[in-house]
Amino acid sequence: IGFTYSRVLLNSDHHFLKMGVTLKWLGALAGGYIQTDNAVVNFKDSNTMSLQSPLIHYARTETADLGQFKRKNLFNGFADQTFGWDAGLVYEYRAKVKKFKYLNENLEEQQRRDLNKYMFRLGLSIVDVGRFTLNKKPLTNDHSANIVNWDFSDVKASSFSEFDTAYSKQVDYINGAPGTFTYRLPTALIGNFDLHLFGRFYVNLAAKAPLESFKKKADTHISPNRWIAITPRFEGKFLGVYIPVIRSNGETSIGTTIKLGPVYFGSNNLV
């Protein structure tokens, strides 16, 4: 649940600056992760496993299990609640402001609000800032493992909890490990540059990158997708055509979007 506040900071003939902040109340229903930097895993057969590692980070909340969720639990029984935020700035350079002015019925000079007035526009934002602190379920904690030819054919676990009970007998838990773990949202920085070419024609350059420094403030996180996109477009009041060229995860794709009045049809893959 979010609340957004925005306002214009500067509005002169050639310079326009606005900002916005969104404060969000966030609820986490469940969470879990497993991570190790040094592990050797071997399977003798489909039922026999060997595992050696000096340190395995394993954490899971009580509700992070098979068959735990019901629709009625969507807004109750949170594992944690916290606040998060987004924030952004947009700057516009307006070169030919006189062509966007008119006189109203009182002969007062006004700016047209139905047209883009900028020669170029710069935007910068930070999104998805927030962190949860979740309680670890018993038997899910940091441990070391020196398992040799463990035959788990008789475990027959139908849930993670049943597997944890069997697995806990094979490992050694680390003394003093915390009973909670922190989870960070996919915090990222987004940059945007929009250039007005002529008439209704524009070209946009946008990029998204994870804020790596936030990783140090949590035990686990999801890394946001890193991408860059160049989008030439024609943008009219009732008709718009957008053709984004996107580079993401080492692959390039070309998309298209068509705007008809208030309705948009689009795909990130032109094919």
Side-chain angles (χ1 to χ4, degrees), residues 1-5 20-26 82-87:
I1 298 175
F3 171 80
T4 298
Y5 173 78
V21 176
T22 298
L23 182 65
K24 297 182 285 188
W25 172 74
L26 304 166
T82 189
F83 286 101
W85 56 270
D86 308 326

Side-chain angles (χ1 to χ4, degrees), residues 58-80:
Y58 177 39
R60 182 167 59 81
T61 62
E62 186 77 37
T63 51
D65 209 335
L66 303 176
Q68 285 286 325
F69 290 106
K70 308 294 181 184
R71 280 180 293 180
K72 64 180 181 180
N73 296 331
L74 188 59
F75 293 107
N76 60 64
F78 292 115
D80 188 33

Side-chain angles (χ1 to χ4, degrees), residues 35-53:
Q35 182 269 331
T36 181
D37 292 329
N38 297 285
V40 178
V41 183
N42 291 295
F43 286 89
K44 182 179 179 181
D45 52 47
S46 59
N47 295 316
T48 307
M49 178 185 73
S50 296
L51 169 64
Q52 286 80 37
S53 176

Side-chain angles (χ1 to χ4, degrees), residues 249-267:
N249 297 325
E251 298 182 353
T252 302
S253 61
I254 301 176
T256 185
T257 292
I258 296 175
K259 177 185 75 126
L260 299 174
V263 182
Y264 290 77
F265 301 90
S267 170

Side-chain angles (χ1 to χ4, degrees), residues 14-244:
H14 298 291
H15 305 285
F16 181 84
L17 181 66
K18 56 186 176 181
M19 65 158 290
V21 176
T22 298
L23 182 65
K24 297 182 285 188
W25 172 74
L26 304 166
L29 290 173
Y33 78 104
I34 185 168
Q35 182 269 331
T36 181
D37 292 329
N38 297 285
V40 178
V41 183
N42 291 295
F43 286 89
K44 182 179 179 181
D45 52 47
S46 59
N47 295 316
T48 307
M49 178 185 73
S50 296
L51 169 64
Q52 286 80 37
S53 176
L55 179 59
I56 297 175
H57 300 283
Y58 177 39
R60 182 167 59 81
T61 62
E62 186 77 37
T63 51
D65 209 335
L66 303 176
Q68 285 286 325
F69 290 106
K70 308 294 181 184
R71 280 180 293 180
K72 64 180 181 180
N73 296 331
L74 188 59
F75 293 107
N76 60 64
F78 292 115
D80 188 33
Q81 303 175 56
T82 189
F83 286 101
W85 56 270
D86 308 326
L89 285 168
V90 174
Y91 167 77
E92 296 180 3
Y93 175 68
R94 300 173 172 181
K96 301 177 181 180
V97 291
K98 291 184 179 180
K99 64 183 292 187
F100 299 104
K101 293 183 177 181
Y102 69 98
L103 296 177
N104 63 15
E105 64 272 12
N106 298 321
L107 300 181
E108 297 171 334
E109 191 176 69
Q110 301 287 329
Q111 284 190 347
R112 294 188 62 175
R113 302 185 65 180
D114 61 323
L115 295 174
N116 290 328
K117 293 174 277 294
Y118 59 85
M119 177 181 289
F120 67 84
R121 180 178 66 192
L122 286 168
L124 189 65
S125 59
I126 298 176
V127 298
D128 291 328
V129 180
R131 186 178 70 169
F132 293 108
T133 299
L134 306 173
N135 293 319
K136 296 178 182 177
K137 184 181 183 299
L139 303 183
T140 68
N141 213 328
D142 298 347
H143 59 271
S144 62
N146 187 23
I147 303 172
V148 178
N149 293 332
W150 175 32
D151 183 357
F152 54 86
S153 58
D154 293 331
V155 173
K156 298 182 175 16
S158 59
S159 68
F160 293 139
S161 294
E162 292 177 359
F163 177 81
D164 290 339
T165 300
Y167 179 71
S168 66
K169 300 174 183 177
Q170 307 294 325
V171 301
D172 297 312
Y173 289 96
I174 306 298
N175 292 329
T180 62
F181 67 100
T182 52
Y183 170 86
R184 182 179 64 78
L185 297 178
T187 308
L189 184 70
I190 299 177
N192 195 296
F193 175 73
D194 203 54
L195 178 63
H196 185 190
L197 299 174
F198 57 88
R200 300 285 187 170
F201 290 91
Y202 301 79
V203 63
N204 182 273
L205 173 65
K208 182 177 182 180
L211 280 176
E212 301 291 346
S213 61
F214 280 79
K215 289 182 179 180
K216 301 175 183 178
K217 300 178 181 180
D219 296 316
T220 187
H221 67 280
I222 288 182
S223 292
N225 197 16
R226 185 189 299 268
W227 53 259
I228 185 170
I230 299 176
T231 307
R233 74 183 189 275
F234 171 84
E235 191 169 58
K237 186 174 182 180
F238 298 103
L239 174 66
V241 179
Y242 312 77
I243 305 176

